[in-house]
Amino acid sequence: MNASTPPRIAIIGAGPGGLTCARILQRHGVAATVYDQDASRSARDQGGTLDMHPDSGRNALREAGLLDGFLALARPEGRQMRLAGRDGRVLLDAAPPESDAGADTEDGSPEIDRGQLRDLLLDSLEPDTVRWSHKLAHVEPLTTGVHRLYFAGGATADADLVVGADGAWSKVRRRLSDAAPVYTGVTFVETGLDDADSRHPVLAALTGDGTMMALDDNRGFIAQRNSHHHIRVYVGMRTDEYWYRNAGLDLADEGAVRDALLKEFTGWGPDLLRFITDSDAGYTNRPLYALPVPHTWRHTPGVTLLGDAAHLMSPFSGMGANLAMLDGADLARALIGGAATTDDAVLAYEDLLLPRSAAAAEGAAEGIAGAFAPDSAAQVLAHMTRNH
């Protein structure tokens, strides 16, 4: 990126992908400003746990100079995967090799809480890199390659490169594509267990140190160990997007939601049903959406996308955050790699991004279709037996 005047780079969204991009740019003396709609880093819960893959998320962390910090926080034991039947019996238990514990192995993918990963990235940035309370309203082209950002409340900013790292419902994406997320047919209802090892020992033992899944006949439980003895639980159903409305259900009525979920899981084992009844965190409805596959766009000077804004897919890829961080690293590498212009760098990045994300999104679509199907128990057991 050879230019007499450094480009003004605006990254919309302070998620793992956008922050990774900003961090790597700053390490190479290239300034970037990150705008995020949250009021602060602690304004909302950041979600569950992530496994960082060697060839994507860990690759990006190494490029960002943060791999040692990640390994100090990560939980190698969190790689454990369990599959249970609908009666609660464990059918498969795949624990990570002891040799992986704490090591930067080529095949290891230790877990880290999303919030811890985000804090690691935020703490690595120069002061005032992130502008909180900046909710993007729309993006308007000024001249070729230059755009004006309009934020709720009236603030504006001009940029030579706008990076849409603003997630599933990206405002930046509208400058490049008419595509919109569509419902996958599967909804998760999220809940959780606090201080699980002492307050919920049976469920803690069933979950193990990593992730436990029980999937059968378009239904399922996914229990995921987080740090600080918390277990995050996803109660999944293939159902109508507005299932609660059709049932006349008020999502704010925890008792009614609990009873409705128990009815959906009639005949499942009593221990699994306790993931519903023993909740410490209430119930949050989370329908799952994905962008059409493949999602592509015509290159537009001065704008590009990364992460969910570019390739929103179901969580059954296991690749969402990993790909977002790899996107951020690849975009930063392209911008600092000696391209003649910023636009040339972005073109090179998009040539790498688009085929890779299409392949991952296809796999994610196949994954959720298999996990929530009439014969999902057999499909998932066969898959996990092959891969674990």
Side-chain angles (χ1 to χ4, degrees), residues 286-333:
R286 298 198 185 282
L288 303 182
Y289 298 92
L291 282 167
V293 181
H295 176 232
T296 63
W297 58 86
R298 184 187 295 259
H299 173 74
T300 299
V303 188
T304 194
L305 304 173
L306 64 77
D308 284 351
H311 45 68
L312 177 68
M313 62 190 77
S314 92
F316 281 82
S317 71
M319 289 292 292
N322 280 279
L323 273 184
M325 294 172 68
L326 184 59
D327 294 347
D330 283 342
L331 177 56
R333 281 190 282 250

Side-chain angles (χ1 to χ4, degrees), residues 43-349:
R44 60 186 174 89
D45 179 66
Q46 293 301 307
T49 183
L50 302 166
D51 60 333
M52 291 283 99
H53 300 180
D55 58 351
S56 50
R58 296 250 303 275
N59 180 319
L61 286 165
R62 185 178 290 107
E63 186 77 16
L66 299 174
L67 187 59
D68 288 344
F70 161 74
L71 292 171
L73 294 168
R75 294 176 286 105
E77 71 279 4
R79 291 177 55 210
Q80 182 181 27
M81 293 290 296
R82 281 183 175 172
L83 182 66
R86 62 186 291 153
D87 59 0
R89 290 185 303 110
V90 175
L91 305 177
L92 184 146
D93 189 356
E98 290 186 9
S99 60
D100 283 359
D104 182 18
T105 57
E106 289 302 315
D107 60 346
S109 299
E111 300 274 338
I112 186 171
D113 285 11
R114 284 178 178 268
Q116 292 176 322
L117 177 63
R118 190 179 191 228
D119 283 344
L120 177 67
L121 288 161
L122 285 169
D123 290 342
S124 74
L125 297 175
E126 296 171 6
D128 301 321
T129 297
V130 180
R131 309 289 171 84
W132 301 107
S133 299
H134 277 70
K135 181 178 181 179
L136 184 67
H138 67 279
V139 182
E140 179 180 297
L142 296 180
T143 60
T144 301
V146 179
H147 290 78
R148 179 160 292 165
L149 307 173
Y150 291 85
F151 298 97
T156 63
D158 294 346
D160 303 301
L161 176 60
V162 180
V163 180
D166 48 340
W169 307 101
S170 170
K171 297 287 181 63
V172 179
R173 186 170 59 229
R174 298 176 188 178
R175 282 284 304 133
L176 299 173
S177 166
D178 292 330
V182 295
Y183 179 54
T184 63
V186 175
T187 288
F188 282 175
V189 179
E190 180 182 335
T191 185
L193 308 171
D194 294 331
D195 200 11
D197 294 290
S198 61
R199 298 187 64 244
H200 307 282
V202 172
L203 298 181
L206 178 56
T207 302
D209 291 326
T211 298
M212 186 284 303
M213 297 189 296
L215 303 167
D216 189 41
D217 193 20
N218 293 309
R219 301 283 185 274
F221 293 90
I222 300 173
Q224 187 186 69
R225 177 77 67 159
N226 288 205
S227 59
H228 307 299
H229 306 285
H230 181 75
I231 293 176
R232 199 173 294 261
V233 179
Y234 302 96
V235 183
M237 307 175 288
R238 183 168 292 282
T239 187
D240 183 82
E241 183 176 4
Y242 301 104
W243 65 277
Y244 57 92
R245 186 183 301 168
N246 297 338
L249 191 65
D250 179 1
L251 289 174
D253 186 340
E254 291 186 10
V257 174
R258 180 191 63 236
D259 292 345
L261 292 176
L262 289 172
K263 185 177 179 181
E264 290 283 346
F265 285 84
T266 299
W268 288 62
D271 284 345
L272 292 172
L273 295 180
R274 288 176 63 180
F275 281 118
I276 297 173
T277 59
D278 294 9
S279 166
D280 296 316
Y283 307 95
T284 302
N285 192 63
R286 298 198 185 282
L288 303 182
Y289 298 92
L291 282 167
V293 181
H295 176 232
T296 63
W297 58 86
R298 184 187 295 259
H299 173 74
T300 299
V303 188
T304 194
L305 304 173
L306 64 77
D308 284 351
H311 45 68
L312 177 68
M313 62 190 77
S314 92
F316 281 82
S317 71
M319 289 292 292
N322 280 279
L323 273 184
M325 294 172 68
L326 184 59
D327 294 347
D330 283 342
L331 177 56
R333 281 190 282 250
L335 290 168
I336 62 181
T341 67
T342 299
D343 198 49
D344 288 339
V346 173
L347 273 167
Y349 159 71

Side-chain angles (χ1 to χ4, degrees), residues 366-380:
E366 292 173 2
I368 196 169
F372 288 87
D375 60 344
S376 56
Q379 289 194 51
V380 174

